[in-house]
Amino acid sequence: MSDGFELKICCMGAGYVGGPTMAVIAKQCPHIRVCVVDISQKQIDAWNGPELPIYEPGLREVVDECINRNLFFSTDVEGEIEKADIIFISVNTPTKTQGVGAGRMANIKNCELCARTIAKVSKSNKIVVEKSTVPVRTAQAVTRVLQSNDKGLDFQVLSNPEFLAEGTAMADLACPDRVLIGGQQTPAGLKAAETLVSIYAHWIPREQILTTNLWSSELSKLVANAFLAQRVSSINSISALCEATGADVQEISRAVGMDARIGRKFLQPSVGFGGSCFQKDILNLVYLCESYGLDECAQYWNGVIKMNDFQKKRFSEKMVSKMFNTITSKKICMLGYAFKKDTGDVRETPSMFVLRDLLSEQAKIHVFDPQVRREDMWTEMDYTCGINKGNTPMLEESVITATDPYEACDGAHAICVLTEWDEFRTYDYERIYKSMAKPAFIFDGRNMMDHTKLREIGFEVHAIGKPDPNDFTDL
């Protein structure tokens, strides 16, 4: 090519998946021009500016290395589509809130809009890659839209789901367990898949790049997230039993995880799972099962969601019951708000549901999280819980976002640890204890704190799946 690039990629969607994925491709393939496009000028300005729109360890360094070399961010959606050889669709597919399938079915309108734009502005054949998490057979709809073009163009649609974990996304992209590419099992489809394989093969061993048919690839992403969430709900269900019987859930997790057939991962009890994927993908799976008349399968997977909801509610109720059945006007410090450490993402975060419950009890909540922005908290709270300043009097005054953890804890009746940020272990808890109202409570929603040391200081500590020494005399 005249500009020196062997291939040109356009990614539609500059979010949590599109940005990091394209940055790594640009880093590993300097001979490929990569441009991430979005209709949001604010989002694109952030990618091009000093403060990226998302926090991900290692992302800043990769973007700085590649930007304006072979990595670009632009709002010129149509212009970049026109010049691209491969177009990734990496847009949001939220759960529908209205109409057929509301509350369960993924809304693929953004994917369809992308396909229509591609069909409208393209002047040459393209490979179109689904990167968004979508219901099985979405590629069929995308293909039909693309094939309806009146220019005689050929579009090959591939499925290439992401398997990133926020907080470790850059490592996941650099050294993935596998890359999955699904395509039509036709000569043209297989050729398109091999083109995408050749890009990943620049840094990923060929045996870790799996090729399947389209439908297996689309469904694999939903199933992978469902299995991971199922493990979280499974150990969380046991945590409730442990608290009732005096067993220690971490000892059980260790004993069970040493069985090679089960393994150790995702057996850490917590206040519940969150993030943009697990709940959305399971609800999508539930809806798919129902759509095909597989009601028993749907009920099975819906049980994973019900257990997660139970765990979050159980945590809030335990706080109230242990604090003499009232937290009205009491100051509660929430350490952590993101759904996991090393990210600022608050989508479906368990902290939001705990906050909602504490608000209903008229507590005064002070939140400290090193990465979460107050604006994002309220946006997600309104979208998911329907709570906003318009319908909740004194909301702004009832929830304070602190910039200093000691300030957030000062005068508090209780601390609840809701995100496993490493720094939370390093604080001076003797200083914190002296500044709090007594008795001083700590509710550890991540089982990450040194409970013995905290009790020695004077705290009353309650943790997930841990027996309460005040309730048992034979531990």
Side-chain angles (χ1 to χ4, degrees):
M1 293 184 179
S2 58
D3 55 14
F5 293 111
E6 297 176 12
L7 204 65
K8 294 181 180 179
I9 291 175
C10 171
C11 177
M12 303 179 74
Y16 274 94
V17 175
T21 302
M22 294 302 115
V24 171
I25 289 177
K27 173 183 170 65
Q28 300 290 347
C29 305
H31 59 288
I32 296 177
R33 183 184 188 276
V34 180
C35 186
V36 183
V37 298
D38 202 286
I39 60 174
S40 170
Q41 186 68 57
K42 178 182 177 182
Q43 189 81 346
I44 293 301
D45 287 346
W47 281 107
N48 284 317
E51 186 174 343
L52 299 182
I54 63 173
Y55 173 73
E56 192 66 44
L59 176 59
R60 174 82 267 175
E61 292 79 3
V62 175
V63 171
D64 286 346
E65 177 184 340
C66 302
I67 196 163
N68 296 326
R69 183 194 71 186
N70 67 323
L71 175 64
F72 305 89
F73 297 91
S74 173
T75 55
D76 183 14
V77 177
E78 295 191 358
E80 292 296 335
I81 288 174
E82 184 177 334
K83 66 178 70 167
D85 303 295
I86 301 176
I87 301 168
F88 285 79
I89 297 177
S90 185
V91 292
N92 192 22
T93 52
T95 302
K96 289 183 68 175
T97 57
Q98 301 179 53
V100 176
R104 294 166 298 165
M105 182 181 179
N107 192 337
I108 65 166
K109 72 167 187 175
N110 293 329
C111 291
E112 182 180 334
L113 288 172
C114 286
R116 292 188 181 280
T117 303
I118 294 167
K120 181 182 76 170
V121 305
S122 293
K123 297 179 181 178
S124 60
N125 298 338
K126 314 280 186 189
I127 296 173
V128 178
V129 184
E130 290 177 343
K131 200 68 179 171
S132 302
T133 301
V134 294
V136 64
R137 302 202 77 85
T138 297
Q140 186 177 42
V142 171
T143 299
R144 286 192 61 189
V145 170
L146 292 171
Q147 288 180 341
S148 67
N149 79 89
D150 57 3
K151 292 170 275 191
L153 299 177
D154 177 63
F155 296 95
Q156 289 299 318
V157 178
L158 303 176
S159 167
N160 176 217
E162 53 85 14
F163 295 101
L164 307 180
E166 288 184 42
T168 60
M170 301 307 285
D172 295 339
L173 286 163
C175 301
D177 293 331
R178 79 293 201 195
V179 170
L180 183 58
I181 298 171
Q184 291 282 9
Q185 303 302 291
T186 62
L190 294 172
K191 181 180 179 182
E194 193 54 40
T195 299
L196 189 54
V197 166
S198 69
I199 293 173
Y200 285 113
H202 278 90
W203 76 97
I204 298 167
R206 182 60 182 85
E207 58 270 19
Q208 289 173 231
I209 304 174
L210 310 180
T211 54
T212 69
N213 71 34
L214 271 170
W215 324 125
S216 296
S217 178
E218 288 181 332
L219 188 56
S220 290
K221 174 58 190 295
L222 299 183
V223 173
N225 278 343
F227 271 54
L228 292 173
Q230 177 195 49
R231 285 175 69 92
V232 177
S233 280
S234 293
I235 197 63
N236 279 345
S237 73
I238 301 304
S239 75
L241 184 60
C242 287
E243 291 171 35
T245 61
D248 185 325
V249 71
Q250 287 184 311
E251 293 178 346
I252 291 173
S253 176
R254 185 161 56 249
V256 170
M258 289 179 73
D259 187 326
R261 297 169 300 174
I262 298 172
R264 303 171 187 269
K265 293 185 177 181
F266 275 75
L267 290 180
Q268 174 62 39
S270 69
V271 66
F273 60 74
S276 64
C277 295
F278 281 7
Q279 175 146 320
K280 176 173 72 74
D281 290 353
I282 294 174
L283 289 171
N284 194 353
L285 190 60
V286 168
Y287 183 77
L288 282 170
C289 290
E290 290 175 343
S291 299
Y292 290 101
L294 303 171
D295 293 341
E296 290 81 4
C297 300
Q299 291 169 17
Y300 175 82
W301 287 110
N302 196 51
V304 174
I305 298 293
K306 292 174 68 175
M307 179 53 61
N308 196 50
D309 291 340
F310 168 73
Q311 185 77 342
K312 292 178 288 189
K313 191 70 174 176
R314 192 172 74 84
F315 186 86
S316 303
E317 291 176 346
K318 186 171 188 176
M319 287 185 66
V320 176
S321 66
K322 293 298 182 181
M323 296 176 69
F324 317 115
N325 292 310
T326 179
I327 58 173
T328 301
S329 297
K330 291 179 179 178
K331 179 178 177 179
I332 309 292
C333 169
M334 294 178 64
L335 288 182
Y337 196 85
F339 84 93
K340 63 185 292 189
K341 71 174 184 177
D342 294 332
T343 181
D345 196 350
V346 299
R347 289 175 292 181
E348 293 289 345
T349 177
S351 306
M352 173 175 57
F353 299 96
V354 174
L355 176 63
R356 176 198 63 190
D357 295 343
L358 300 183
L359 279 172
S360 70
E361 297 285 342
Q362 298 180 304
K364 303 297 183 183
I365 303 117
H366 289 239
V367 180
F368 173 76
D369 189 290
Q371 288 296 330
V372 169
R373 294 177 290 203
R374 185 177 180 87
E375 175 189 356
D376 294 337
M377 285 175 54
W378 292 139
T379 299
E380 179 65 14
M381 179 71 84
D382 186 20
Y383 178 79
T384 302
C385 298
I387 295 175
N388 55 58
K389 289 176 281 188
N391 61 24
T392 308
M394 303 296 290
L395 180 60
E396 287 282 353
E397 295 80 2
S398 297
V399 182
I400 306 299
T401 45
T403 57
D404 177 78
Y406 295 99
E407 174 192 332
C409 295
D410 187 29
H413 292 256
I415 297 169
C416 51
V417 182
L418 297 173
T419 309
E420 70 279 22
W421 286 101
D422 294 334
E423 69 178 71
F424 293 165
R425 295 188 179 95
T426 68
Y427 295 163
D428 184 347
Y429 283 95
E430 290 189 7
R431 171 186 169 186
I432 288 172
Y433 178 76
K434 291 175 183 177
S435 74
M436 290 177 64
K438 307 299 186 296
F441 295 86
I442 288 186
F443 297 90
D444 188 355
R446 296 290 178 169
N447 282 3
M448 62 174 287
M449 310 300 287
D450 186 336
H451 302 152
T452 300
K453 184 176 180 180
L454 290 171
R455 289 188 176 110
E456 289 173 354
I457 292 172
F459 287 101
E460 181 172 324
V461 181
H462 300 279
I464 301 287
K466 295 279 191 174
D468 185 347
N470 297 320
D471 294 339
F472 296 93
T473 59
D474 57 352
L475 296 177

